[in-house]
Amino acid sequence: MPDATPFWGPDFDALAAEDPEIAEVILGELERLRSGLQLIASENFTSPAVLAALGSTLSNKYAEGYPGRRYYGGCAVVDDAEQIGIERAKALFGADHANLQPHSGASANIAAYGAFMKPGETVLAMSLPHGGHLTHGTKVSFSGKWFNAVHYGVDARTEDIDYDQVRDLAREHRPRMIICGGSAIPRLIDFTAFRAIADEVGAILMVDAAHFIGLVAGGAIPSPVPHADVVTFTTHKVLRGPRGGMILCKGEHAAAIDKAVFPMMQGGPLMHAVAAKAVALRECASPEYQQYAREVIANARALTQGLIDQGMRAVTGGTDTHLALLDLQGLGVTGTDAEARCDAAGIVLNKNAIPNDPRPASVASGIRVGTPAVTTQGMGIAQMATIAELIGTAVRDEDGTAGPEVRAAVTALVTEFPAYPRG
Ligand code: DSN
C-alpha cells in the first residue's frame, strides 16, 4: 500500500493551517451536531469511512459517462469505485439497474421525468401540503412549470393516502407517470395498490423513496423495488450515506435512466460522492445496520407516543417509519414557535404543515420529528421518552424560563450518547 497521508482522507490540521476561517466553521458545525439533539427526519450522522471517501482525491476526477464508457482518459480507477457501488446497490435492493450519479434527490427526480416524460405531459403525485415533495409538481418547481401536475392527497378521516382518489384522478387524467412517496408521510405506502392503478391507466410508476429507503435497505419495511418502474432517493437520510441521489430501475428502463442522468440533466459525476455512496451501501448490508433500521422505527414509535402524552396529536395516529408529524393546535402553539423554542433549548426539529393546515406553510400548525440521527447515537426507547418530555416542555415554554433546564437535560443525553465521540 502506498503511503496515503496527507492526500487521502480529511486532514483537518492542513485545513486549519491554510484556512483557519473555514476550519472554524467546520469545527463550529461539529460542535453544534455534538451538543444538540438532531431530530430533523431527513438528517443523519455519516460514518468516518463515508466522510473519508468524501474528502478523497476522487473529487478531482472528471468522469463524464459511465464505467468503461467515459469521455475522459484516466478513469480506470474511478470506474472501479462506480462499478463496485452499482453492484452493491443492485445486490442490496434486488434491483436490475442502479445509477449512482445524481447529485441530489431533486437531480434524481429531474432525471426520472427526463427519462419518461415530455414537457406538457401529465404527472399524478401527492400534494406538497399533504406530505409530497417540491419536485412532485409544485408550481415553483421545474416539475410544476414544465409538466401538467395533478395532485392527490390524504383521506380526511384517516389522514393516510386516499387510494380511491388516486385511482379516480388516474382514470380521469390518464397521467404519463404516477409518483408516490414524499417528505412527511408517517405511514407505509401500499405499492401494490399504486402498481395496479398505474397498470390500469398505462402509467409509469415512480417511487420517490428518499425518506424511507434506508429502512428498506435494513429490511425493516417492504421494498418498492419489485413494484416500481423507477425508484429515486437521496443517500443521506436513514441510509446514512453522503449527501446525494441514486436511482434504481427495471432493466428495460436502464438505458433511458442513464441517458437522462448524463448527458441530459448532469455533466461530470462527483466521483468522491459516488465512492462514498458505495461505502454507505456496504455499511447498509451489515447486520448492525439491519438492527439499526429496526431501532429507528421502534424509537420513532416511542417518541411519537411520548409526544401524544404531551398533548400533541399525531397525524394518522402514529407512525410506521422513522418520522412523525405532530399537530400542535391543541396546545395553541404554531409550528414556527415550536421550532424556535426547541432550537433555543438545543433540540433541532422543523415546523411542518399538517394536512389541511389552516396556517400558511411558513407558519404551519405542526412539527416533524425523526429518529435516524439519535438512533445512530445509540439512544433507545428510554431516551425517546425523555426527549418527548423535553420537547413538550420546550414547546410550551412561551417566555423561555424552562430553556436552561431543558438545555441541561439535552447536554446530559448527548454526553451519554455522543455523536462523533471526542477522541
Ligand atoms: N428537504 C427534505 C426533507 O427534509 O424532507 C426533502 O427533500
PDB file of all heavy atoms in Angstrom, residues 156-174:
ATOM      1  N   ALA A 156     -59.544  12.493   4.586  1.00  0.00           N
ATOM      2  CA  ALA A 156     -59.776  13.438   5.685  1.00  0.00           C
ATOM      3  C   ALA A 156     -59.882  12.734   7.034  1.00  0.00           C
ATOM      4  O   ALA A 156     -59.473  13.279   8.054  1.00  0.00           O
ATOM      5  CB  ALA A 156     -61.058  14.239   5.413  1.00  0.00           C
ATOM      6  N   ARG A 157     -60.381  11.510   7.034  1.00  0.00           N
ATOM      7  CA  ARG A 157     -60.583  10.807   8.310  1.00  0.00           C
ATOM      8  C   ARG A 157     -59.303  10.107   8.786  1.00  0.00           C
ATOM      9  O   ARG A 157     -58.846  10.310   9.896  1.00  0.00           O
ATOM     10  CB  ARG A 157     -61.724   9.788   8.149  1.00  0.00           C
ATOM     11  CG  ARG A 157     -62.208   9.161   9.444  1.00  0.00           C
ATOM     12  CD  ARG A 157     -63.340   8.181   9.185  1.00  0.00           C
ATOM     13  NE  ARG A 157     -62.963   7.161   8.204  1.00  0.00           N
ATOM     14  CZ  ARG A 157     -62.262   6.058   8.490  1.00  0.00           C
ATOM     15  NH1 ARG A 157     -61.882   5.825   9.718  1.00  0.00           N
ATOM     16  NH2 ARG A 157     -61.961   5.186   7.534  1.00  0.00           N
ATOM     17  N   THR A 158     -58.683   9.321   7.883  1.00  0.00           N
ATOM     18  CA  THR A 158     -57.512   8.527   8.309  1.00  0.00           C
ATOM     19  C   THR A 158     -56.209   9.320   8.212  1.00  0.00           C
ATOM     20  O   THR A 158     -55.218   8.951   8.838  1.00  0.00           O
ATOM     21  CB  THR A 158     -57.353   7.280   7.420  1.00  0.00           C
ATOM     22  OG1 THR A 158     -57.084   7.718   6.070  1.00  0.00           O
ATOM     23  CG2 THR A 158     -58.599   6.425   7.439  1.00  0.00           C
ATOM     24  N   GLU A 159     -56.204  10.349   7.390  1.00  0.00           N
ATOM     25  CA  GLU A 159     -55.009  11.152   7.091  1.00  0.00           C
ATOM     26  C   GLU A 159     -53.925  10.329   6.383  1.00  0.00           C
ATOM     27  O   GLU A 159     -52.786  10.762   6.253  1.00  0.00           O
ATOM     28  CB  GLU A 159     -54.445  11.832   8.350  1.00  0.00           C
ATOM     29  CG  GLU A 159     -55.421  12.827   8.969  1.00  0.00           C
ATOM     30  CD  GLU A 159     -54.862  13.504  10.194  1.00  0.00           C
ATOM     31  OE1 GLU A 159     -54.697  12.832  11.227  1.00  0.00           O
ATOM     32  OE2 GLU A 159     -54.591  14.705  10.131  1.00  0.00           O
ATOM     33  N   ASP A 160     -54.280   9.133   5.940  1.00  0.00           N
ATOM     34  CA  ASP A 160     -53.372   8.321   5.128  1.00  0.00           C
ATOM     35  C   ASP A 160     -53.745   8.563   3.654  1.00  0.00           C
ATOM     36  O   ASP A 160     -54.817   9.117   3.359  1.00  0.00           O
ATOM     37  CB  ASP A 160     -53.529   6.841   5.509  1.00  0.00           C
ATOM     38  CG  ASP A 160     -52.328   6.016   5.087  1.00  0.00           C
ATOM     39  OD1 ASP A 160     -51.362   6.588   4.537  1.00  0.00           O
ATOM     40  OD2 ASP A 160     -52.352   4.797   5.307  1.00  0.00           O
ATOM     41  N   ILE A 161     -52.881   8.113   2.746  1.00  0.00           N
ATOM     42  CA  ILE A 161     -53.124   8.353   1.317  1.00  0.00           C
ATOM     43  C   ILE A 161     -54.522   7.877   0.919  1.00  0.00           C
ATOM     44  O   ILE A 161     -54.942   6.775   1.290  1.00  0.00           O
ATOM     45  CB  ILE A 161     -52.059   7.612   0.471  1.00  0.00           C
ATOM     46  CG1 ILE A 161     -50.670   8.214   0.730  1.00  0.00           C
ATOM     47  CG2 ILE A 161     -52.401   7.667  -1.013  1.00  0.00           C
ATOM     48  CD1 ILE A 161     -49.523   7.390   0.189  1.00  0.00           C
ATOM     49  N   ASP A 162     -55.220   8.710   0.159  1.00  0.00           N
ATOM     50  CA  ASP A 162     -56.568   8.374  -0.306  1.00  0.00           C
ATOM     51  C   ASP A 162     -56.438   7.621  -1.640  1.00  0.00           C
ATOM     52  O   ASP A 162     -56.389   8.234  -2.709  1.00  0.00           O
ATOM     53  CB  ASP A 162     -57.376   9.678  -0.463  1.00  0.00           C
ATOM     54  CG  ASP A 162     -58.824   9.411  -0.844  1.00  0.00           C
ATOM     55  OD1 ASP A 162     -59.125   8.279  -1.311  1.00  0.00           O
ATOM     56  OD2 ASP A 162     -59.644  10.325  -0.681  1.00  0.00           O
ATOM     57  N   TYR A 163     -56.367   6.289  -1.549  1.00  0.00           N
ATOM     58  CA  TYR A 163     -56.133   5.474  -2.746  1.00  0.00           C
ATOM     59  C   TYR A 163     -57.297   5.542  -3.723  1.00  0.00           C
ATOM     60  O   TYR A 163     -57.095   5.428  -4.938  1.00  0.00           O
ATOM     61  CB  TYR A 163     -55.816   4.021  -2.353  1.00  0.00           C
ATOM     62  CG  TYR A 163     -54.478   3.910  -1.639  1.00  0.00           C
ATOM     63  CD1 TYR A 163     -54.393   3.990  -0.249  1.00  0.00           C
ATOM     64  CD2 TYR A 163     -53.294   3.760  -2.359  1.00  0.00           C
ATOM     65  CE1 TYR A 163     -53.168   3.912   0.404  1.00  0.00           C
ATOM     66  CE2 TYR A 163     -52.067   3.698  -1.714  1.00  0.00           C
ATOM     67  CZ  TYR A 163     -52.017   3.769  -0.329  1.00  0.00           C
ATOM     68  OH  TYR A 163     -50.804   3.713   0.302  1.00  0.00           O
ATOM     69  N   ASP A 164     -58.520   5.748  -3.216  1.00  0.00           N
ATOM     70  CA  ASP A 164     -59.669   5.898  -4.124  1.00  0.00           C
ATOM     71  C   ASP A 164     -59.507   7.158  -4.963  1.00  0.00           C
ATOM     72  O   ASP A 164     -59.787   7.171  -6.163  1.00  0.00           O
ATOM     73  CB  ASP A 164     -60.975   5.986  -3.318  1.00  0.00           C
ATOM     74  CG  ASP A 164     -61.316   4.655  -2.675  1.00  0.00           C
ATOM     75  OD1 ASP A 164     -60.845   3.609  -3.182  1.00  0.00           O
ATOM     76  OD2 ASP A 164     -62.019   4.658  -1.649  1.00  0.00           O
ATOM     77  N   GLN A 165     -59.024   8.221  -4.295  1.00  0.00           N
ATOM     78  CA  GLN A 165     -58.812   9.471  -5.041  1.00  0.00           C
ATOM     79  C   GLN A 165     -57.699   9.299  -6.083  1.00  0.00           C
ATOM     80  O   GLN A 165     -57.805   9.803  -7.205  1.00  0.00           O
ATOM     81  CB  GLN A 165     -58.447  10.595  -4.062  1.00  0.00           C
ATOM     82  CG  GLN A 165     -58.410  11.953  -4.743  1.00  0.00           C
ATOM     83  CD  GLN A 165     -57.727  13.022  -3.895  1.00  0.00           C
ATOM     84  OE1 GLN A 165     -56.863  12.738  -3.070  1.00  0.00           O
ATOM     85  NE2 GLN A 165     -58.110  14.268  -4.132  1.00  0.00           N
ATOM     86  N   VAL A 166     -56.648   8.566  -5.706  1.00  0.00           N
ATOM     87  CA  VAL A 166     -55.551   8.331  -6.665  1.00  0.00           C
ATOM     88  C   VAL A 166     -56.109   7.641  -7.911  1.00  0.00           C
ATOM     89  O   VAL A 166     -55.841   8.061  -9.048  1.00  0.00           O
ATOM     90  CB  VAL A 166     -54.429   7.456  -6.036  1.00  0.00           C
ATOM     91  CG1 VAL A 166     -53.332   7.186  -7.073  1.00  0.00           C
ATOM     92  CG2 VAL A 166     -53.833   8.114  -4.793  1.00  0.00           C
ATOM     93  N   ARG A 167     -56.930   6.587  -7.680  1.00  0.00           N
ATOM     94  CA  ARG A 167     -57.488   5.830  -8.818  1.00  0.00           C
ATOM     95  C   ARG A 167     -58.422   6.706  -9.658  1.00  0.00           C
ATOM     96  O   ARG A 167     -58.322   6.728 -10.890  1.00  0.00           O
ATOM     97  CB  ARG A 167     -58.241   4.597  -8.303  1.00  0.00           C
ATOM     98  CG  ARG A 167     -58.658   3.634  -9.403  1.00  0.00           C
ATOM     99  CD  ARG A 167     -59.351   2.397  -8.847  1.00  0.00           C
ATOM    100  NE  ARG A 167     -58.538   1.690  -7.875  1.00  0.00           N
ATOM    101  CZ  ARG A 167     -58.701   1.761  -6.535  1.00  0.00           C
ATOM    102  NH1 ARG A 167     -59.677   2.509  -6.023  1.00  0.00           N
ATOM    103  NH2 ARG A 167     -57.916   1.107  -5.724  1.00  0.00           N
ATOM    104  N   ASP A 168     -59.280   7.477  -8.994  1.00  0.00           N
ATOM    105  CA  ASP A 168     -60.221   8.336  -9.729  1.00  0.00           C
ATOM    106  C   ASP A 168     -59.467   9.364 -10.576  1.00  0.00           C
ATOM    107  O   ASP A 168     -59.799   9.584 -11.745  1.00  0.00           O
ATOM    108  CB  ASP A 168     -61.146   9.070  -8.747  1.00  0.00           C
ATOM    109  CG  ASP A 168     -62.143   8.114  -8.085  1.00  0.00           C
ATOM    110  OD1 ASP A 168     -62.269   6.963  -8.559  1.00  0.00           O
ATOM    111  OD2 ASP A 168     -62.762   8.518  -7.080  1.00  0.00           O
ATOM    112  N   LEU A 169     -58.449   9.989  -9.989  1.00  0.00           N
ATOM    113  CA  LEU A 169     -57.693  11.010 -10.729  1.00  0.00           C
ATOM    114  C   LEU A 169     -56.898  10.371 -11.873  1.00  0.00           C
ATOM    115  O   LEU A 169     -56.767  10.960 -12.952  1.00  0.00           O
ATOM    116  CB  LEU A 169     -56.743  11.760  -9.782  1.00  0.00           C
ATOM    117  CG  LEU A 169     -57.410  12.716  -8.783  1.00  0.00           C
ATOM    118  CD1 LEU A 169     -56.395  13.236  -7.760  1.00  0.00           C
ATOM    119  CD2 LEU A 169     -58.059  13.897  -9.519  1.00  0.00           C
ATOM    120  N   ALA A 170     -56.382   9.174 -11.637  1.00  0.00           N
ATOM    121  CA  ALA A 170     -55.630   8.492 -12.693  1.00  0.00           C
ATOM    122  C   ALA A 170     -56.550   8.176 -13.878  1.00  0.00           C
ATOM    123  O   ALA A 170     -56.193   8.371 -15.039  1.00  0.00           O
ATOM    124  CB  ALA A 170     -55.000   7.217 -12.148  1.00  0.00           C
ATOM    125  N   ARG A 171     -57.760   7.697 -13.575  1.00  0.00           N
ATOM    126  CA  ARG A 171     -58.719   7.379 -14.651  1.00  0.00           C
ATOM    127  C   ARG A 171     -59.120   8.641 -15.405  1.00  0.00           C
ATOM    128  O   ARG A 171     -59.265   8.635 -16.626  1.00  0.00           O
ATOM    129  CB  ARG A 171     -59.964   6.720 -14.050  1.00  0.00           C
ATOM    130  CG  ARG A 171     -59.727   5.277 -13.660  1.00  0.00           C
ATOM    131  CD  ARG A 171     -60.931   4.694 -12.961  1.00  0.00           C
ATOM    132  NE  ARG A 171     -60.702   3.289 -12.625  1.00  0.00           N
ATOM    133  CZ  ARG A 171     -61.423   2.616 -11.739  1.00  0.00           C
ATOM    134  NH1 ARG A 171     -62.445   3.194 -11.125  1.00  0.00           N
ATOM    135  NH2 ARG A 171     -61.157   1.351 -11.481  1.00  0.00           N
ATOM    136  N   GLU A 172     -59.301   9.731 -14.658  1.00  0.00           N
ATOM    137  CA  GLU A 172     -59.752  10.983 -15.289  1.00  0.00           C
ATOM    138  C   GLU A 172     -58.651  11.636 -16.129  1.00  0.00           C
ATOM    139  O   GLU A 172     -58.902  12.094 -17.245  1.00  0.00           O
ATOM    140  CB  GLU A 172     -60.211  11.955 -14.185  1.00  0.00           C
ATOM    141  CG  GLU A 172     -60.772  13.262 -14.724  1.00  0.00           C
ATOM    142  CD  GLU A 172     -61.108  14.242 -13.599  1.00  0.00           C
ATOM    143  OE1 GLU A 172     -61.169  13.840 -12.413  1.00  0.00           O
ATOM    144  OE2 GLU A 172     -61.300  15.433 -13.936  1.00  0.00           O
ATOM    145  N   HIS A 173     -57.412  11.645 -15.606  1.00  0.00           N
ATOM    146  CA  HIS A 173     -56.355  12.441 -16.256  1.00  0.00           C
ATOM    147  C   HIS A 173     -55.361  11.615 -17.076  1.00  0.00           C
ATOM    148  O   HIS A 173     -54.548  12.190 -17.805  1.00  0.00           O
ATOM    149  CB  HIS A 173     -55.591  13.252 -15.201  1.00  0.00           C
ATOM    150  CG  HIS A 173     -56.444  14.278 -14.517  1.00  0.00           C
ATOM    151  ND1 HIS A 173     -56.708  15.511 -15.074  1.00  0.00           N
ATOM    152  CD2 HIS A 173     -57.113  14.241 -13.345  1.00  0.00           C
ATOM    153  CE1 HIS A 173     -57.502  16.199 -14.260  1.00  0.00           C
ATOM    154  NE2 HIS A 173     -57.756  15.449 -13.199  1.00  0.00           N
ATOM    155  N   ARG A 174     -55.411  10.263 -16.953  1.00  0.00           N
ATOM    156  CA  ARG A 174     -54.512   9.375 -17.720  1.00  0.00           C
ATOM    157  C   ARG A 174     -53.070   9.897 -17.688  1.00  0.00           C
ATOM    158  O   ARG A 174     -52.490  10.235 -18.734  1.00  0.00           O
ATOM    159  CB  ARG A 174     -54.976   9.239 -19.180  1.00  0.00           C
ATOM    160  CG  ARG A 174     -56.449   9.007 -19.393  1.00  0.00           C
ATOM    161  CD  ARG A 174     -56.967   7.735 -18.838  1.00  0.00           C
ATOM    162  NE  ARG A 174     -56.446   6.532 -19.470  1.00  0.00           N
ATOM    163  CZ  ARG A 174     -56.914   5.305 -19.190  1.00  0.00           C
ATOM    164  NH1 ARG A 174     -57.890   5.139 -18.316  1.00  0.00           N
ATOM    165  NH2 ARG A 174     -56.391   4.253 -19.783  1.00  0.00           N
TER     166      ARG A 174
END
